[in-house]
Amino acid sequence: MSLGDDQHSSGGYGGTGQTRTRLPDGGDDGYGGPRRGGRSSSRSLVTVVGVVVLLLAAIAFANRGGDDSASPDDGAADKPKASSTAPSGTQPVKAGFAHDQQGAQSAAANYAVALGSADMFDKAKRDPILQAIIVPSRVADFETTLDKAYSPGFNKNVGLNEDGSTPKGYTFVSRTSPIGTKLTEGSADNATVEVWCSGLLGLAGQNSTAPVTSSWFTITMDLEWINGDWKIVTHSQKDGPAPIPGDDRASSADEMAKAVQEYGGFTYAR
């Protein structure tokens, strides 16, 4: 849904561990094929050392971040620089967002998370969110539009009670996760940012008539620097880009409810 303009789209408004890789010790190579034998220990050592060197080189390259001086652009004018899509590495600000392009993208990503949260289905929580992220002159319009959008009928369609409360014995899921951001226009005090997102929306629980589903969409925000922070002026949304679904087994209602309860959503992006 476009805040202030469009109707609500399913999934648009909806949330550190370590990964260990275990080498196969059976008769396959970990990719479904037979393991190859016959390598000498010295050759295996050389291979391992070579992989480590490549990994170190890749890490060093990635850590260069926004160093554009060593990246020739000849013949690549139509391709984004690596620094434009790499994580910035800058620590979160303690209040508000930086008054620059990165700050605008960080604001847009985090506002997408807020607008996609389950709190948006509760007016008592929704209005403070809007007051915090919308330009003051547009807050009233946004509140009126969303009061109409989050209607009893809409709440019922996503599995909630008509008043927006969650039925007993169920867990309501509404989360938006930014995948990446792109600044399409920018000046000192204005910016247009696109945020590519994935979303979860639905009701987790046995016999749910609205099970949790995923979606992909892009949110576009026009931002203005006002009162020392970036605020939303306009907001719109479109579907995609969406990847081809994988072969993952859909989790049970209990597994999904447990995951939502145990895994907190992100509070800061980029």
Side-chain angles (χ1 to χ4, degrees):
M1 183 183 74
S2 169
L3 275 176
D5 299 314
D6 302 332
Q7 293 298 316
H8 191 290
S9 298
S10 176
Y13 288 152
T16 303
Q18 295 178 330
T19 300
R20 294 184 296 176
T21 301
R22 183 176 183 274
L23 295 177
D25 52 9
D28 59 70
D29 61 357
Y31 296 90
R35 296 183 66 180
R36 296 180 180 178
R39 289 186 176 181
S40 67
S41 58
S42 60
R43 183 176 180 182
S44 298
L45 179 60
V46 170
T47 300
V48 171
V49 172
V51 171
V52 171
V53 170
L54 289 175
L55 286 174
L56 291 175
I59 293 172
F61 180 81
N63 286 337
R64 288 168 56 188
D67 183 9
D68 297 332
S69 61
S71 301
D73 295 333
D74 296 341
D78 58 338
K79 297 180 180 179
K81 297 179 181 179
S83 60
S84 66
T85 55
S88 64
T90 302
Q91 294 299 313
V93 292
K94 295 186 180 300
F97 296 93
H99 191 187
D100 54 24
Q101 293 184 359
Q102 177 184 302
Q105 293 181 69
S106 293
N110 286 277
Y111 294 166
V113 173
L115 292 170
S117 68
D119 287 346
M120 291 294 290
F121 290 80
D122 182 343
K123 180 173 174 57
K125 297 178 180 178
R126 179 171 68 243
D127 286 353
I129 291 175
L130 298 178
Q131 292 161 13
I133 68 177
I134 307 297
V135 293
S137 62
R138 295 293 312 279
V139 170
D141 291 339
F142 274 71
E143 290 178 349
T144 299
T145 299
L146 291 184
D147 286 347
K148 295 178 180 178
Y150 288 94
S151 64
F154 174 73
N155 290 335
K156 189 175 181 180
N157 285 339
V158 298
L160 297 173
N161 296 322
E162 291 188 353
D163 63 357
S165 61
T166 302
K168 185 177 181 179
Y170 292 87
T171 299
F172 180 58
V173 184
S174 182
R175 290 189 183 180
T176 291
S177 298
I179 305 300
T181 60
K182 179 175 69 173
L183 183 78
T184 58
E185 293 184 25
S187 62
D189 295 327
N190 296 93
T192 299
V193 180
E194 294 182 0
V195 187
W196 181 31
C197 305
S198 65
L200 298 175
L201 181 64
L203 203 64
Q206 295 295 333
N207 303 319
S208 172
T209 58
V212 180
T213 58
S214 61
S215 61
W216 293 83
F217 47 93
T218 299
I219 298 172
T220 300
M221 298 182 193
D222 288 328
L223 304 174
E224 179 181 347
W225 182 262
I226 184 171
N227 298 330
D229 205 358
W230 291 105
K231 303 291 184 180
I232 298 174
V233 179
T234 63
H235 172 287
S236 62
Q237 179 180 307
K238 64 181 180 180
D239 294 336
I244 297 174
D247 297 327
D248 301 309
R249 174 187 64 85
S251 298
S252 67
D254 289 341
E255 289 175 321
M256 183 60 67
K258 183 179 180 182
V260 173
Q261 293 166 1
E262 293 183 345
Y263 292 88
F266 294 112
T267 58
Y268 192 88
R270 197 173 174 79

